[in-house]
Structures are given as C-alpha cells and as structure tokens.
Amino acid sequence: MRNALAIAQKELRGYFASPIAYIVIGFFALLFGWFYVGILDWFVRQGMQMGQFGMGPQNVNVNQQMIRPLLLNMTVVFLFLLPLITMRTYAEEKRSGTIELLLTAPLTDWQIVLGKFLGAMALYGAMLAITLVHFGLLFAFGHPEWKPLATAYLGLLLFGGCFISIGLFVSSLTRNQIIAGAATFGVFLLLWVIDWIGQSLGPNGEAILKYLSMTDHLDDFVKGVIDTKHLVYYLSFIAFGLFLTLRSVDTERWRG
C-alpha cells in the first residue's frame, strides 16, 4: 500500500506541475458557481411565489428542490472534465518513454494501477471539495439537511470512481493523450445515454439498460438513500475498470 500511495502522490504532483489540474479545477469551479447561482435564483423565486399563495416554509425543501437538481446537472460537466484527468495517466508515460522505468521498478502491476487511480481520485476529490464553500453558505443562511448531502457526496465519489477506472483503462491502450481523452469521453457518453432506447427493447431490455445507466444509480444517493444494489453496481464497476487496466498493464509489461 505504501508504494501505491507513493505513486498516487507522484500522480498528484504531476497534475499540479502541468496546467491540467488548474484548468480542470478552475473550469469546474466556474461552472459550478454558475449553476449554483442560477438554481438558487430559481429556488428563491419559487419560494416567494409559494409565499404569495399562503404556503409556508415547511413546503420548501432545500435538499430536494435545489441541491438535488444542482448536483445532477453538474454530473454532465464530469463527462467533459474527467477525461482530462485520466487521459494522461498512461498515455503520457508511453509517449515520454517513462513507462519502461515504471514497469521495471520494484512495483507490482496492482500497485501501479491503484496508485494512479488514487491520484486521479484525489484530484477529483479536490474538485468536489470546492463545492463545500457553496453549500456552507446554504447552511449559514438556510436549513438544509446534512445527511442527504453527505449521501450525495458518497454517490458522487463512487460515480467519479467509475468514470476514472474506465478512463485509466482507455489511457493504457494508447500513447496519444488526445485519442485517450476523446475515446474516454465517447465511453462516458455511451454509459450516460445507454438507457435512452430502453423502452424500444421491451420490459427486460429496458430493465437491463436502466441498471447499466450510471446516472440512474446516482439519483437515489442524491435523494439521501443508500441502496445496496447501487453500492454493488458502483463498486463492481470500479473493480471491473481497474481489472481491465491491470490486464492492459500486464500486457504492456510482457511486450516490453
């Protein structure tokens, strides 16, 4: 585990040594702030309209009417930003020739894969940490519930973990960062819209595609519900993505 953490630290330093981390975090902060102000404005206007009709504050739920749509809308942004995080993990190593040094170091393939995964997750966690400032304002001036919000963050971490695990695998297949980023975005988009044609495939096909949809599993987390089937789905997806990456790295080692 110590070696994996060392690789994670190296990856995190690499992100901040290049413009990637600053671009990703800055762009995410800008977009989140924009969505936050827009949804907050809508929420306040809705509350004022309800007050005009004699409906009290008890009819206004900050978590369901503001936080939930805000977080679900922001997952669209992850489709574009997470490929920027994962595209360099292996592709850059191959392009610069440092992949040979990494594979010949006294490290196991699992330590390499896990370390890169943890490094990418640390940057993703830093992105999510920025949003705490905005929600802190809600707690200062409103009365949201913290437990559903904590559950939502758990769901977002698992959601991002799935994308990152697949992004690592795609990056391990090429030495070109642009190709890795574009292909990763394509896979993410497919997982996003996979349930759109479910109704045309009948009840069984619709149920299967709905289960494969990543956003469908996230919705319960954002509502404050932790369901075992959603945990199993996300953890299994992450494990599968890391397994594919592990096989790809093992193949690269034998080719070397």
Side-chain angles (χ1 to χ4, degrees):
M1 191 63 183
R2 183 183 304 172
N3 290 337
L5 292 177
I7 294 177
Q9 293 176 358
K10 171 183 172 295
E11 287 294 310
L12 197 57
R13 287 196 300 269
Y15 284 124
F16 284 96
S18 67
I20 292 179
Y22 303 100
I23 292 174
V24 170
I25 293 178
F27 193 58
F28 177 76
L30 177 64
L31 287 177
F32 188 86
W34 183 272
F35 275 79
Y36 177 87
V37 172
I39 295 180
L40 178 61
D41 177 67
W42 172 85
F43 177 75
V44 171
R45 285 188 283 107
Q46 287 292 110
M48 293 175 64
Q49 291 178 3
M50 294 175 68
Q52 291 176 354
F53 288 101
M55 302 176 68
Q58 65 274 10
N59 296 299
V60 178
N61 190 308
V62 180
N63 290 81
Q64 292 301 317
Q65 294 176 252
M66 179 182 170
I67 295 178
R68 178 168 172 256
L70 173 62
L71 294 181
L72 289 178
N73 285 334
M74 286 310 300
T75 56
V76 180
V77 180
F78 295 146
L79 287 176
F80 298 90
L81 294 186
L82 290 184
L84 297 178
I85 295 178
T86 61
M87 67 182 188
R88 66 173 295 277
T89 50
Y90 285 101
E92 176 62 19
E93 298 270 14
K94 290 183 178 182
R95 187 197 64 80
S96 62
T98 56
I99 187 67
E100 287 80 6
L101 295 175
L102 187 63
L103 295 178
T104 55
L107 300 167
T108 65
D109 292 343
W110 172 244
Q111 289 172 339
I112 296 173
V113 172
L114 182 60
K116 287 183 173 293
F117 175 75
L118 293 177
M121 284 296 293
L123 181 57
Y124 176 63
M127 291 169 53
L128 293 181
I130 293 176
T131 65
L132 294 176
V133 176
H134 301 81
F135 291 126
L137 294 175
L138 288 183
F139 280 95
F141 298 99
H143 300 88
E145 299 178 54
W146 70 268
K147 290 183 180 180
L149 183 59
T151 303
Y153 271 98
L154 173 61
L156 288 174
L157 284 173
L158 294 172
F159 179 86
C162 291
F163 275 179
I164 288 173
S165 66
I166 291 298
L168 291 179
F169 170 64
V170 175
S171 180
S172 69
L173 300 177
T174 179
R175 63 177 61 245
N176 189 304
Q177 292 189 50
I178 303 300
I179 294 176
T184 301
F185 173 76
V187 175
F188 289 177
L189 185 60
L190 176 62
L191 293 172
W192 183 272
V193 303
I194 194 171
D195 62 332
W196 286 14
I197 61 172
Q199 293 182 350
S200 63
L201 300 179
N204 293 332
E206 182 179 7
I208 292 173
L209 293 185
K210 188 175 182 181
Y211 182 78
L212 293 176
S213 173
M214 296 186 66
T215 53
D216 187 71
H217 291 275
L218 180 63
D219 191 44
D220 276 348
F221 280 99
V222 179
K223 290 178 181 177
V225 178
I226 299 179
D227 194 320
T228 306
K229 71 176 182 180
H230 301 318
L231 288 173
V232 170
Y233 170 84
Y234 280 133
L235 294 177
S236 299
F237 200 107
I238 292 172
F240 180 65
L242 294 180
F243 172 78
L244 292 178
T245 309
L246 185 64
R247 294 298 93 202
S248 179
V249 173
D250 184 58
T251 301
E252 187 72 25
R253 184 186 293 275
W254 282 108
R255 285 178 180 173

